[in-house]
Amino acid sequence: MTAQTADRRGIMFVLSSPSGAGKTTLARRLLKRDAAFTLSVSATTRPPRPKEINGRDYFFVSVEEFNRMVAERDLLEHAHVFGHDYGSPRAPVEAAIRDGRDVLFDVDWQGAQQLRNSDLGALVTTVFLLPPSIAALEARLMTRAQDKPDVIEGRMAKARSEISHWAEYDYVLINDNLDACYSQIETIVSTERLRRDRQKWLQPHVDSLNREFEERS
Ligand code: ADP
Ligand code: 5GP
């Protein structure tokens, strides 16, 4: 880690989209290619899908355990989505940010709003992914083949209301071509890292420029 990454204020990078628009695919790519990022692994009461691993994709917990986490303020945000509870554990996020790392969140619009309004809200950057068409969204949900037909129908029915929140996000991308969309995400990350308030070393640098001025006078 360079001195600059250690000092940098991390990004809390939120990716939201209607289910099936591609956020898990893009999130995995970002985590693989950008070593500064760590995933905020959510807790959920939803049952695992076939290839999901406890602790990697989600912490699969009982309703009782989830309610205990809420009561003990262990979650930075939480929401009820598709009949199940989901929430972002607070401690790993705070630890990652303390270490100057970036944290990726795959949460819905309710989570994005709550993170923005949290005490760490100044670090939050939000991105919403739109599908190129509703037909493409449905086709992706079907090729993913991880949900039963009635679940897919439910997700399609919810897509419209999820899409209605698009304008609440900092950045909105259309995930048509996966590589093009990923490269736009990389651009956003690079730009966010250059924000003045994320570069903690700027003030000392300007101080040293001023000292140089004084030495010359
Ligand atoms: P989400 O996490 O938003 O529910 P996924 O990342 O699971 O969505 O993507 C749903 C399906 O669509 C997956 O099978 C994925 O491989 C596919 N997919 C994602 N992005 C694209 C894209 N740009 N073009 C075609 N298929 C895509
Ligand atoms: P899925 O069941 O497809 O993994 O996720 C369903 C929805 O829940 C997605 O829109 C996903 O972004 C959202 N989600 C996952 N984890 C969280 C979380 O911790 N908080 C909130 N608010 N939403 C989440």
Side-chain angles (χ1 to χ4, degrees), residues 96-216:
I97 293 296
R98 255 198 317 274
D99 289 351
R101 308 195 69 205
D102 302 308
V103 186
L104 177 63
F105 295 82
D106 170 344
V107 300
D108 79 334
W109 63 271
Q110 304 171 82
Q113 270 183 13
Q114 291 176 50
L115 290 171
R116 164 92 72 217
N117 294 331
S118 73
D119 45 357
L120 295 173
L123 303 181
V124 171
T125 297
T126 60
V127 179
F128 193 82
L129 301 173
L130 289 169
S133 68
I134 299 307
L137 184 69
E138 187 170 33
R140 286 181 195 175
L141 281 172
M142 307 225 274
T143 33
R144 187 168 70 186
Q146 290 196 352
D147 294 306
K148 299 203 179 86
D150 58 321
V151 174
I152 292 184
E153 226 170 88
R155 287 173 188 268
M156 285 302 289
K158 287 263 165 58
R160 190 168 192 166
S161 70
E162 287 172 52
I163 289 174
S164 74
H165 292 278
W166 70 278
E168 295 158 20
Y169 285 74
D170 297 322
Y171 300 91
V172 180
L173 306 176
I174 299 172
N175 178 21
D176 189 354
N177 176 287
L178 188 66
D179 291 337
C181 188
Y182 181 73
S183 121
Q184 289 175 329
I185 288 178
E186 278 184 323
T187 303
I188 295 169
V189 170
S190 309
T191 306
E192 286 293 324
R193 284 181 180 152
L194 290 174
R195 288 177 70 103
R196 173 173 45 78
D197 56 0
R198 287 222 168 82
Q199 300 188 62
K200 284 196 202 163
W201 54 89
L202 284 182
Q203 185 63 56
H205 181 68
V206 174
D207 290 346
S208 94
L209 295 180
N210 282 331
R211 272 195 302 277
E212 247 186 282
F213 271 128
E214 278 158 25
E215 281 160 17
R216 288 160 68 98

Side-chain angles (χ1 to χ4, degrees), residues 19 25 29 42 48 84 88 95 158 190 207 209 215:
S19 184
T25 309
R29 192 179 279 198
S42 297
H84 299 289
S88 309
K158 287 263 165 58
S190 309
D207 290 346
L209 295 180
E215 281 160 17

